[in-house]
Amino acid sequence: MSKVLVTGGAGFLGSHLCDRLIARGDDVLCVDNFYTGSKRNIAHLLGKTSFELMRHDVCWPLYVEVDRIFNLACPASPIHYQNDPVQTTKTSVHGAINMLGLAKRVKARILQASTSEVYGDPSMHPQMESYWGNVNPIGIRSCYDEGKRCAETLFFDYHRQHHLEIKVMRIFNTYGPRMHPQDGRVVSNFVVQALRGEDLTIYGDGLQTRSFCYVDDLIEGMIRLMDSSVEFTGPVNVGNPGEFTMIELAETVIRLTGTKSKLVFEPLPQDDPKQRCPDITLAQSRLDWEPKVALEDGLKETIDYFRSIV
């Protein structure tokens, strides 16, 4: 049994991670300030003796005794992180500093949940970990993109300067049950609109592409990275290389929900990337990981979840 800290543990990804850690016998401390996380996501864990919940903002230091730290704290959807961009940057940067400081004090291994957004609007396709990215440092998405890039810098500086055991994971578009219904991301947008009988909003011409990784696959990759050999730090891409246009995704959602919704088109938001697809060669070779859940199967589970709450 390990004592594991999960920051952002009441969020979409964090709550699924807590489930997996509890299931394998770890003792979990879930920390969240509930800016985007929800107690509903972890309510089923509250009665377990191996689970503890703490309301705390990672922008402030935390003094606990743990063996491992998963740093997932940060709003991840454009609507939420653009609502308070200064706080978003603080969460990524101050949060990384505080969690790295904790890891240094207690000699814990620490994993940073980074993002494919560090690649910006990429000129390389698919994106490999060696690609440095094409990021606008002063745009409306920069609070998140540059905050995560700075967090990666801090992780590697702590690794080089203080010999900290670090893992850096670049997460590509992930979907599944417990997504926030108003997070503004494309899967949740389409599913909620379809279930309400509303037209599905596509930004731009709908030919821009994304890769969609089901949450169970993503969490498996995260745990494998944390458990990997000490010399493998990453960064490593974890996502599904299957690529779909927005129109293809929308048409699949319409078919699976049985809605009579139509497609409507709106202008593309500033700095919205036109392509996003991971090269997962490194994850395959070093973690023996690749996604298993097909998009249609994962969407069925996601639609069932949203039916229960919308």
Side-chain angles (χ1 to χ4, degrees), residues 45-146:
L45 297 175
L46 292 176
K48 295 184 179 294
T49 57
S50 56
F51 181 80
E52 183 179 359
L53 175 63
M54 177 188 296
R55 182 187 289 268
H56 181 83
D57 190 322
V58 295
C59 290
W60 299 93
L62 181 63
Y63 300 96
V64 293
E65 299 295 324
V66 292
D67 303 310
R68 292 187 168 186
I69 302 168
F70 289 85
N71 187 37
L72 277 62
C74 190
S77 78
I79 285 180
H80 292 146
Y81 66 65
Q82 291 172 20
N83 182 60
D84 192 345
V86 172
Q87 187 62 32
T88 296
T89 304
K90 286 182 177 180
T91 301
S92 285
V93 179
H94 292 182
I97 291 170
N98 287 327
M99 291 305 105
L100 287 162
L102 172 61
K104 180 186 172 188
R105 284 193 299 274
V106 300
K107 297 180 172 57
R109 178 177 290 190
I110 182 169
L111 181 146
Q112 168 68 5
S114 190
T115 172
S116 62
E117 299 295 334
V118 300
Y119 299 122
D121 190 1
S123 56
M124 170 186 281
H125 189 78
Q127 293 83 60
M128 299 177 64
E129 292 85 352
S130 57
Y131 177 53
W132 290 356
N134 178 34
V135 177
N136 177 1
I138 58 171
I140 60 173
R141 301 169 67 103
S142 306
C143 58
Y144 184 70
D145 301 0
E146 296 287 37

Side-chain angles (χ1 to χ4, degrees), residues 51 140 162 168 187 194 208-209 238 247 259 270-271:
F51 181 80
I140 60 173
H162 301 297
V168 175
V187 171
Q208 66 271 36
T209 64
V238 177
I247 291 176
T259 184
Q270 180 186 336
D271 297 331

Side-chain angles (χ1 to χ4, degrees), residues 27-40:
D27 195 3
V28 174
L29 171 60
C30 169
V31 166
D32 208 297
N33 70 350
F34 297 103
Y35 176 60
T36 57
S38 170
K39 288 183 180 178
R40 178 175 58 195

Side-chain angles (χ1 to χ4, degrees), residues 200 246-256 263:
L200 275 60
M246 297 302 92
I247 291 176
E248 288 174 330
L249 176 66
E251 290 174 343
T252 303
V253 169
I254 287 172
R255 177 168 54 82
L256 293 177
L263 306 184

Side-chain angles (χ1 to χ4, degrees), residues 175 212-221 224 238-242 280 284 287-298:
Y175 70 100
F212 300 101
C213 185
Y214 189 63
V215 62
D216 289 354
D217 285 336
L218 188 284
I219 296 302
E220 177 65 26
R224 290 192 186 199
V238 177
N240 193 323
I280 62 168
Q284 290 171 318
L287 306 179
D288 191 26
W289 176 91
E290 60 184 8
K292 307 292 186 185
V293 180
L295 178 64
E296 188 160 321
D297 294 334

